[in-house]
Amino acid sequence: MSQEAKEQTQNVQNGVSANKSNGSAEHCKLELTVPNTRTRHVSGGVEEIVDPFCDSKNPKQISFHDVTSAAFLIKGGVERTPCPRSTSSETYGMELYFKKDFLQYTGSFKERGARYALLSLSEEQKRKGVISASLGNHALALCYHGWKLSIPVTVVMPKAAPIMKVQKCRNYKARVIVEGQDMGEAKSLAMRMSREEQLLYINGYDHPHIMAGQGTIGLEILEQVPEPDAVVVPVGGGGLIAGIATAVKALSPKTKIIGVESEKCASFSRAMENNGPISTPIKNTLADGLAVPKVGVNAYATALPLIDRMVVVKEEWIAVAILRLVEEEKCVVEGAGGAGLAAILAGHLDDLKGKKVVVLLCGGNIDTTVFGRCLERGLAAEGRLVKFNVEVSDRPGGINDLCSRLVRLGVSIKDIMHERAWLRDIYTVEVKVICETRDWEHSLELKNELKKYYTKVEFSDVPLAINDKTL
């Protein structure tokens, strides 16, 4: 590394540290100083430039003052979302409240941090613009508020990004570049463009101003639900829970902060086991908004001392949570938004029975086709969508008798087909049925009834979201 590069890197770190010691990220006008240093991490065969605001050797913790500064600046620019009592509180055995931040204009909590980061730029940087890499929600928030504040925004989105989100970013007058097979390649390109075009790179979950902006949710929660016993927060990169925990613990130290991750992307739990952020293999998940392979260094440093518990939930419970929120609360949320309720449904938070609990519904940007699949998976996981094969007589009236029995049981047939060619008995037909029942007990009644009249009946496995507590 050249002497000049070392001096540039040190200047960036010293500048951020000095601003932090002065008391608030609000007063830290973000001037872009791009070092020529490169890390040996490789994505797509290209070395990735170090983000000076997210340096693993110098993590930055935000303060309560940072959060209150953010709340002052973004007031009037983002929605103050409602936090009503759940209509099903009695069902869950707790005084349950839902903080509905999916009602922001672009459909997620990301607007809070994005607007604060943009407002904190120096005048020169506002003129030059900013850049980021994102699969969706952060890009939408940054593009929308950049458009409203007349600040040029460039977003690099990987090829896997939903077409709808790409088009929405373009509708907000942003420069959208679709490049890279994954987020790693997209970020590498964004960082190179940041250096070449003198654009400030804003990390979607680990930039100090992003975390402070998200923390304003915590302030609103405490205004709307005084002295809650617990606040349940979905966790991906860690910026959201870092900000909320900073705000809540400062004003209500006895309130427990509980993080929830999907088992398919438990990067924060892995970081806690490793005593620091570590790359975590990510599998396909309903909670794609939480699928961050490595938590932010700043977010981890800020959140770790404030989190009371981390919970990991199975995918099936996330699907059930999405279904329950539609049926009971009339809320359409994405997988990440349903993670908090999933932890309650799975029985991980039974110690909070009888207490006042706030669950954050952080996002509602779910693809229409994915939403349909989530509802069906939720029904199947809860035992309300049943699949079975049964052999009936192939003589006239055989299938009609089966259907009549289902009608008498109050079962709704969703799909039915029959098969003759691969049976040994030419006088029988195998009927495959997918049907909807009221609940798992109703499914058991169906199973017992059919076994009385048919010798060969095969049901699918026990629903994946059913356990001994729910039977």
Side-chain angles (χ1 to χ4, degrees), residues 148-340:
K148 288 297 182 180
L149 297 170
S150 299
I151 297 173
V153 173
T154 299
V155 291
V156 182
M157 306 179 77
K159 294 176 182 178
I163 295 175
M164 177 186 70
K165 292 183 179 180
V166 173
Q167 188 55 46
K168 278 189 175 182
C169 289
R170 288 179 173 145
N171 292 344
Y172 297 143
K173 315 302 180 186
R175 177 172 59 155
V176 180
I177 299 170
V178 181
E179 192 66 50
Q181 296 301 319
D182 53 32
M183 270 298 296
E185 292 185 13
K187 183 180 178 181
S188 293
L189 174 58
M191 291 300 296
R192 293 199 304 275
M193 293 179 64
S194 167
R195 182 186 62 180
E196 293 165 2
E197 301 182 21
Q198 295 294 291
L199 304 173
L200 179 69
Y201 183 83
I202 299 180
N203 186 296
Y205 54 86
D206 203 36
H207 193 287
H209 288 160
I210 292 292
M211 294 191 295
Q214 322 305 28
T216 60
I217 297 175
L219 298 179
E220 291 182 12
I221 286 175
L222 294 181
E223 290 176 4
Q224 295 164 321
V225 186
E227 299 181 352
D229 293 297
V231 177
V232 184
V233 185
V235 178
L240 177 61
I241 196 169
I244 291 177
T246 299
V248 171
K249 286 294 188 181
L251 296 176
S252 182
K254 293 183 180 180
T255 299
K256 291 183 178 180
I257 300 296
I258 300 173
V260 181
E261 296 179 296
S262 166
E263 64 176 351
K264 299 292 185 70
C265 49
S267 53
F268 204 102
S269 297
R270 283 283 306 278
M272 293 174 70
E273 295 170 0
N274 186 63
N275 293 321
I278 182 174
S279 294
T280 303
I282 298 299
K283 301 177 182 178
N284 290 331
T285 171
L286 295 176
D288 56 342
L290 305 181
V292 178
K294 187 176 182 180
V295 300
V297 293
N298 301 326
Y300 180 79
T302 301
L304 185 63
L306 305 174
I307 294 176
D308 292 280
R309 195 192 334 169
M310 283 297 302
V311 172
V312 177
V313 296
K314 292 184 177 180
E315 291 281 293
E316 291 74 27
W317 288 111
I318 295 177
V320 173
I322 293 173
L323 175 64
R324 290 283 183 89
L325 286 166
V326 170
E327 291 183 328
E328 298 173 358
E329 307 294 333
K330 314 310 175 194
C331 296
V332 177
V333 302
E334 58 190 271

Side-chain angles (χ1 to χ4, degrees), residues 1-218:
M1 184 188 300
S2 68
Q3 183 63 31
E4 179 184 2
K6 291 181 180 178
E7 292 176 356
Q8 286 178 318
T9 303
Q10 189 63 41
N11 288 339
V12 173
Q13 295 175 347
N14 290 342
V16 175
S17 298
N19 278 302
K20 182 179 177 183
S21 63
N22 287 337
S24 171
E26 176 195 11
H27 303 294
C28 176
K29 295 296 183 180
L30 300 182
E31 295 285 358
L32 178 63
T33 305
V34 183
N36 292 325
T37 56
R38 291 171 182 250
T39 180
R40 293 306 301 172
H41 171 71
V42 176
S43 178
V46 181
E47 291 179 317
E48 186 180 3
I49 300 169
V50 174
D51 182 354
F53 293 99
C54 306
D55 185 358
S56 59
K57 296 180 181 179
N58 183 30
K60 305 165 186 66
Q61 292 177 288
I62 64 169
S63 67
F64 179 68
H65 184 62
D66 296 329
V67 178
T68 56
S69 298
F72 178 78
L73 280 185
I74 69 174
K75 187 176 182 180
V78 298
E79 294 293 327
R80 187 178 188 274
T81 53
C83 189
R85 190 175 189 272
S86 170
T87 58
S88 303
S89 286
E90 288 74 18
T91 303
Y92 300 122
M94 58 184 69
E95 192 176 345
L96 186 62
Y97 295 83
F98 289 122
K99 177 60 173 171
K100 300 182 178 181
D101 227 52
F102 67 93
L103 294 177
Q104 295 292 345
Y105 187 85
T106 61
S108 84
F109 71 96
K110 292 285 189 178
E111 289 192 29
R112 298 170 182 269
R115 187 172 182 87
Y116 181 50
L118 291 171
L119 287 171
S120 299
L121 297 171
S122 67
E123 292 303 318
E124 180 183 0
Q125 199 60 59
K126 287 180 181 178
R127 179 180 56 80
K128 290 179 179 178
V130 300
I131 189 170
S132 190
S134 170
L135 271 168
N137 287 347
H138 174 61
L140 287 170
L142 200 63
C143 292
Y144 173 69
H145 286 282
W147 174 44
K148 288 297 182 180
L149 297 170
S150 299
I151 297 173
V153 173
T154 299
V155 291
V156 182
M157 306 179 77
K159 294 176 182 178
I163 295 175
M164 177 186 70
K165 292 183 179 180
V166 173
Q167 188 55 46
K168 278 189 175 182
C169 289
R170 288 179 173 145
N171 292 344
Y172 297 143
K173 315 302 180 186
R175 177 172 59 155
V176 180
I177 299 170
V178 181
E179 192 66 50
Q181 296 301 319
D182 53 32
M183 270 298 296
E185 292 185 13
K187 183 180 178 181
S188 293
L189 174 58
M191 291 300 296
R192 293 199 304 275
M193 293 179 64
S194 167
R195 182 186 62 180
E196 293 165 2
E197 301 182 21
Q198 295 294 291
L199 304 173
L200 179 69
Y201 183 83
I202 299 180
N203 186 296
Y205 54 86
D206 203 36
H207 193 287
H209 288 160
I210 292 292
M211 294 191 295
Q214 322 305 28
T216 60
I217 297 175

Side-chain angles (χ1 to χ4, degrees), residues 391 420-428 456:
E391 288 187 18
R420 290 186 177 88
W422 288 273
L423 296 178
R424 294 182 177 179
D425 187 349
I426 62 173
Y427 297 107
T428 61
K456 293 185 179 180

